Coordinates of all heavy atoms in Angstrom, one line a residue:
S7 N -10.1 -9.1 -0.7 CA -9.5 -10.3 -1.4 C -8.1 -10.7 -0.9 O -7.7 -11.8 -1.1 CB -9.4 -10.1 -2.9 OG -8.6 -8.9 -3.2
R46 N 6.8 1.9 9.2 CA 7.7 2.1 10.3 C 7.2 3.0 11.3 O 6.1 3.6 11.1 CB 9.1 2.6 9.7 CG 9.6 1.8 8.5 CD 10.9 2.3 8.1 NE 12.0 2.1 9.1 CZ 12.6 0.9 9.3 NH1 12.4 -0.1 8.4 NH2 13.6 0.8 10.2
T49 N 3.5 2.9 16.8 CA 3.2 2.7 18.3 C 2.3 1.5 18.4 O 1.2 1.4 17.8 CB 2.5 3.9 18.8 OG1 3.4 5.0 18.8 CG2 2.1 3.7 20.3
G56 N 5.7 -10.3 22.3 CA 6.0 -11.4 21.4 C 7.4 -11.7 21.2 O 8.3 -11.3 21.9
R61 N 7.3 -17.5 15.8 CA 6.0 -17.3 15.1 C 5.9 -15.9 14.7 O 6.5 -15.0 15.3 CB 4.9 -17.8 16.0 CG 4.7 -17.0 17.2 CD 3.6 -17.6 18.1 NE 3.4 -16.8 19.3 CZ 2.7 -15.7 19.5 NH1 2.0 -15.3 18.5 NH2 2.6 -15.1 20.6
G71 N 12.7 -3.6 13.5 CA 12.9 -2.1 13.7 C 11.7 -1.3 13.3 O 11.9 -0.1 13.0
S79 N 1.5 -5.1 28.8 CA 1.5 -5.4 30.2 C 2.6 -6.4 30.6 O 2.8 -6.6 31.8 CB 0.1 -6.0 30.6 OG -0.1 -7.3 29.9
T81 N 6.6 -7.2 30.0 CA 7.8 -6.8 29.3 C 9.0 -7.8 29.5 O 9.9 -7.7 28.7 CB 8.3 -5.4 30.0 OG1 8.4 -5.6 31.4 CG2 7.3 -4.3 29.7
G130 N -1.2 -0.1 41.0 CA 0.0 0.7 40.7 C 0.2 1.8 41.7 O 1.3 2.5 41.7
R142 N -6.0 10.1 43.9 CA -7.1 10.6 44.7 C -7.5 9.6 45.8 O -7.4 8.4 45.6 CB -8.4 10.8 43.7 CG -9.6 11.3 44.4 CD -10.7 11.5 43.4 NE -11.9 12.0 44.0 CZ -13.0 12.2 43.3 NH1 -13.1 12.1 42.0 NH2 -14.1 12.7 43.9
I144 N -10.0 7.7 47.8 CA -11.4 7.3 47.7 C -11.6 6.2 48.8 O -11.1 5.1 48.7 CB -11.7 6.7 46.3 CG1 -11.5 7.8 45.2 CG2 -13.2 6.3 46.3 CD1 -11.7 7.2 43.8
G145 N -12.5 6.6 49.8 CA -12.7 5.6 50.8 C -11.5 5.2 51.6 O -11.4 4.1 52.1
N148 N -5.8 4.9 48.2 CA -5.2 5.8 47.1 C -5.5 5.1 45.7 O -5.3 4.0 45.5 CB -3.7 5.9 47.3 CG -3.1 6.9 46.4 OD1 -3.8 7.9 46.0 ND2 -1.8 6.8 46.1
F149 N -6.1 6.0 44.8 CA -6.4 5.5 43.5 C -5.7 6.4 42.5 O -5.5 7.6 42.7 CB -7.9 5.6 43.2 CG -8.7 4.5 43.9 CD1 -8.9 4.5 45.3 CD2 -9.3 3.5 43.1 CE1 -9.7 3.5 45.8 CE2 -10.1 2.5 43.7 CZ -10.2 2.5 45.1
P200 N -14.9 -19.5 6.6 CA -15.5 -18.8 5.5 C -16.5 -17.7 6.0 O -17.3 -18.1 6.8 CB -16.1 -19.8 4.6 CG -15.3 -21.0 4.8 CD -14.9 -21.0 6.3
V217 N -20.7 -2.9 13.2 CA -20.5 -1.5 13.1 C -19.1 -1.0 13.5 O -18.6 0.0 13.0 CB -21.6 -0.7 14.0 CG1 -21.3 -1.0 15.5 CG2 -21.6 0.8 13.7
L238 N 7.8 -13.2 3.4 CA 8.0 -12.5 2.1 C 7.1 -13.1 1.1 O 6.7 -14.3 1.2 CB 9.4 -12.6 1.7 CG 10.4 -11.9 2.7 CD1 11.8 -12.1 2.3 CD2 10.1 -10.4 2.9

Side-chain angles (χ1 to χ4, degrees):
S7 60
R46 309 182 68 84
T49 296
R61 66 185 177 87
S79 68
T81 55
R142 181 176 178 181
I144 302 176
N148 192 24
F149 284 72
V217 68
L238 302 177

